[in-house]
Amino acid sequence: QVQLVESGGGLVQAGGSLRLSCAASGRTFSSYTMGWFRQAPGKERDIVAAINWAGTVTYYPDSVKGRFTISRDNAKSTVYLQMNSLKPEDTAVYYCAVDLSSFRGYLSRRPEDYNYWGQGTQVTVSS
């Protein structure tokens, strides 16, 4: 079992910044890929960032590349998502998730490959 708890969401004006945190417990956090996803009303859950166990490899879709930064502190069992230059289209519920696969060899972008999820935190960007 893994427990994930997100924090840091809120309301921000366009162009502003937010930093999300995800605290993990229950397993050896440092062994696994972590991802951040978001889901807006009526839309699918999409990945916005992923990071490997060591923090040396990251992935971002084009929609957030250059604006969002994922990082992790394995000593604190926490993964972060720094979001800058926020846009109204970034409005969504943001979730962190863990991929427990030991054999994947790449950063998955598919929600179905992630095994445990946090409860989500709302990010609202006003225009």
Side-chain angles (χ1 to χ4, degrees), residues 14-71:
S17 298
L18 282 174
R19 187 195 196 202
L20 306 183
S21 299
C22 173
S25 62
R27 275 209 186 190
T28 307
F29 170 83
S30 59
S31 300
Y32 304 112
T33 290
M34 299 294 297
W36 282 98
F37 292 77
R38 67 186 179 189
Q39 188 167 23
K43 296 190 176 182
E44 294 184 347
R45 189 170 296 191
D46 293 324
I47 194 165
V48 293
I51 189 166
N52 73 332
W53 66 274
T56 55
V57 180
T58 57
Y59 164 77
Y60 306 95
D62 288 344
S63 58
V64 306
K65 194 174 294 183
R67 300 188 298 123
F68 289 13
T69 303
I70 189 171
S71 61

Side-chain angles (χ1 to χ4, degrees), residues 76-124:
K76 296 182 178 180
S77 297
T78 301
V79 63
Y80 304 97
L81 185 68
Q82 178 67 43
M83 305 186 294
N84 298 328
S85 302
L86 282 162
K87 305 175 181 179
E89 51 263 43
D90 294 319
T91 295
V93 178
Y94 283 69
Y95 300 90
C96 68
V98 59
D99 176 359
L100 297 180
S101 172
S102 300
F103 308 102
R104 203 175 305 285
Y106 61 91
L107 300 180
S108 175
R109 309 167 190 181
R110 306 191 318 160
E112 54 266 40
D113 286 338
Y114 288 76
N115 306 93
Y116 290 94
W117 295 79
Q119 81 288 351
T121 185
Q122 177 70 46
V123 172
T124 303

